[in-house]
């Protein structure tokens, strides 16, 4: 799935998130619009050059292309392994204002069987950690780490590869250093719980955030600083036997996300014990969705942009991306 310098495409936005992205571009947030967008992605010529697997959402895995073929089957026919988001999104963590936990372990074993019968070969679960004054709490880290480990164990039991996504958000005015401390703490806890739960590291993929300055911080770390802080954090926390590491973009611009991935490979590529790649949603979909704007006539241009941006990250995975804006 991560071979040939490819990455993953996150197209698993929940319905509220997908609608938010459509509304931001003045596209009516209907099921028809969500389906049109997802059909555009799946049928983009050459998408499989840079993408080895695509993460779907429950709504999408039940949908078909215009010719009636199920979307999961169409992806597989194009050489892209279909996966599925299986968490049920976040809810407030009790007794901990400003923190969340992810719902979804109830009934998971049964849901996994259904998704598998529909063609899914891997899964994703996202946990969210906020940085703030006094945050994250030990309770938030422990609860989310435990739930991620439980999820991963259920998936391996079902012979599905879990993507374990503990996302430390970039919202806030914290420093790069603070993000590094929190991400390190979170990843240590996640791997501790995965170990105790008997999860096989070789049969899972970690989907972490990059180590970044908070979005509202007056001091923004440069590309090389982010690359160094991120690689240092991962080398300290992620066992060498983990099957792969695929970053989320988390609100970075497409250029930022690509340049960060590129600098990690250019400067530290030989030190990395695991495949290190991308599993972006916004940082590859954004330019294409802007160009599409909900109009069928713009489909070809949007598809061209989508593959342009996915292929840039494939080049970044080899440390060979040249910044066209520099
Ligand atoms: P972004 O790349 O937009 O952060 O999305 C990745 C993802 O899967 C979030 O859960």
């Amino acid at each position: 799935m991560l071979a040939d310098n490819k990455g993953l495409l996150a197209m698993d936005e929940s319905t509220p998130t997908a609608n938010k992205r459509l509304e931001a571009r003045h596209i009516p947030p209907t099921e028809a619009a969500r389906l049109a967008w997802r059909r555009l992605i799946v049928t983009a010529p050459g998408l499989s050059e840079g993408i080895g697997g695509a993460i779907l959402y429950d709504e999408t895995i039940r949908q078909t292309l215009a010719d009636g073929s199920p979307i999961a089957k169409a992806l597989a026919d194009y050489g892209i392994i279909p996966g599925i988001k299986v968490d049920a999104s976040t809810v407030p963590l009790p007794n901990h204002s400003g923190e969340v936990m992810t719902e979804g372990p109830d009934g998971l074993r049964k849901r996994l069987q259904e998704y598998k019968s529909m063609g899914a070969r891997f899964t994703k679960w996202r946990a969210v950690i906020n940085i703030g004054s006094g945050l994250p709490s030990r309770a938030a880290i422990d609860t989310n780490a435990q739930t991620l480990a439980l999820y991963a164990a259920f998936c391996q039991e079902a012979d599905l590869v879990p993507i374990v996504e503990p996302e430390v958000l970039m919202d806030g005015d914290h420093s790069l250093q603070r993000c590094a401390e929190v991400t390190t703490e979170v990843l240590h806890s996640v791997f501790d719980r995965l170990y105790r739960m008997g999860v096989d590291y070789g049969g899972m993929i970690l989907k972490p955030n990059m180590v970044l300055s908070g979005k509202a911080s007056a001091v923004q770390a440069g590309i090389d600083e982010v690359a160094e802080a991120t690689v240092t954090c991962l080398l300290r926390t992620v066992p060498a036997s983990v099957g792969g590491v695929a970053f989320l973009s988390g609100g970075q611009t497409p250029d930022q996300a690509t340049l960060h991935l590129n600098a990690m490979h250019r400067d530290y590529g030989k030190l990395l014990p695991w495949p290190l790649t991308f599993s972006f949603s916004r940082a590859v979909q954004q330019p294409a969705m802007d160009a599409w704007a909900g109009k069928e006539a713009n489909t070809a241009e949007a598809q061209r942009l989508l593959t342009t941006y996915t292929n840039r990250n494939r080049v970044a995975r080899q440390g060979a991306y040249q910044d066209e804006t520099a």
Side-chain angles (χ1 to χ4, degrees):
M1 196 155 86
L2 308 181
D4 295 332
N5 293 309
K6 293 185 190 184
L8 306 176
L9 176 65
M11 51 179 294
D12 60 330
E13 298 82 7
S14 64
T15 298
T17 302
N19 288 347
K20 211 165 69 185
R21 305 257 159 92
L22 293 169
E23 281 170 331
R25 292 162 176 93
H26 311 291
I27 306 166
T30 59
E31 185 188 345
R34 293 193 298 275
L35 178 58
W37 174 245
R38 280 150 175 173
R39 283 178 171 172
L40 179 156
I41 293 178
V42 171
T43 59
L47 185 67
S48 64
E49 287 165 22
I51 296 295
I55 315 170
L56 303 173
Y57 180 59
D58 182 79
E59 180 179 67
T60 319
I61 202 170
R62 300 176 192 283
Q63 290 170 327
T64 63
L65 295 184
D67 68 4
S69 46
I71 283 183
K73 181 179 180 306
L75 282 167
D77 289 347
Y78 289 129
I80 298 174
I81 300 173
I84 179 85
K85 168 189 172 82
V86 300
D87 67 70
S89 200
T90 58
V91 291
L93 182 67
N95 284 345
H96 291 80
S97 170
E99 304 201 283
V100 294
M101 59 178 279
T102 304
E103 289 197 313
D106 286 3
L108 182 57
R109 184 178 267 134
K110 228 173 151 174
R111 294 206 309 283
L112 293 178
Q113 288 310 326
E114 187 192 11
Y115 289 139
K116 203 174 163 184
S117 74
M118 296 169 109
R121 293 290 169 262
F122 70 96
T123 63
K124 188 194 94 169
W125 181 290
R126 175 173 177 255
V128 177
I129 299 289
N130 284 306
I131 300 181
S133 158
L135 306 186
S137 65
R138 195 66 247 170
I141 294 175
D142 288 348
T143 304
N144 283 294
Q146 181 61 32
T147 315
L148 280 166
L150 182 61
Y151 141 78
F154 272 125
C155 292
Q156 290 190 340
E157 177 192 80
D159 213 13
L160 291 162
V161 172
I163 298 185
V164 172
E165 181 182 11
E167 176 172 5
V168 178
L169 294 183
M170 59 190 287
D171 298 338
D173 61 2
H174 53 270
S175 65
L176 178 84
Q177 183 53 33
R178 179 79 184 124
C179 180
E181 282 164 15
V182 171
T183 305
T184 300
E185 186 67 38
V186 167
L187 292 179
H188 270 306
S189 298
V190 167
F191 280 101
D192 176 56
R193 298 304 173 108
L194 288 166
Y195 174 74
R196 289 197 228 175
M197 194 58 75
V199 171
D200 170 12
Y201 295 159
M204 62 160 275
I205 293 170
L206 177 72
K207 178 163 174 166
N209 53 284
M210 295 184 190
V211 174
L212 302 164
S213 311
K215 229 191 297 192
S217 170
V219 183
Q220 290 293 315
I223 303 293
D224 294 351
E225 273 178 287
V226 168
E228 183 187 9
T230 304
V231 169
T232 302
C233 173
L234 294 178
L235 288 176
R236 293 174 76 179
T237 53
V238 183
S241 54
V242 163
V245 177
F247 289 112
L248 60 97
S249 61
Q252 301 176 73
T253 65
D255 281 344
Q256 285 169 338
T258 302
L259 289 169
H260 288 147
L261 181 64
N262 186 64
M264 290 180 218
H265 281 282
R266 187 194 58 210
D267 297 345
Y268 307 100
K270 293 202 171 66
L271 295 177
L272 307 174
W274 357 257
L276 184 70
T277 189
F278 60 96
S279 175
F280 299 155
S281 158
R282 281 165 287 181
V284 289
Q285 289 191 39
Q286 223 168 48
M289 199 186 243
D290 288 343
W292 176 56
K295 299 194 173 66
E296 203 184 330
N298 299 332
T299 297
E301 174 60 7
Q303 289 178 323
R304 189 190 68 76
L305 283 165
L306 185 69
T307 52
T308 298
Y309 279 83
T310 52
N311 285 339
R312 274 184 194 182
N313 288 297
R314 188 182 183 205
V315 177
R317 225 195 113 170
Q318 300 161 76
Y321 177 68
Q322 301 293 334
D323 181 7
E324 287 158 19
T325 58

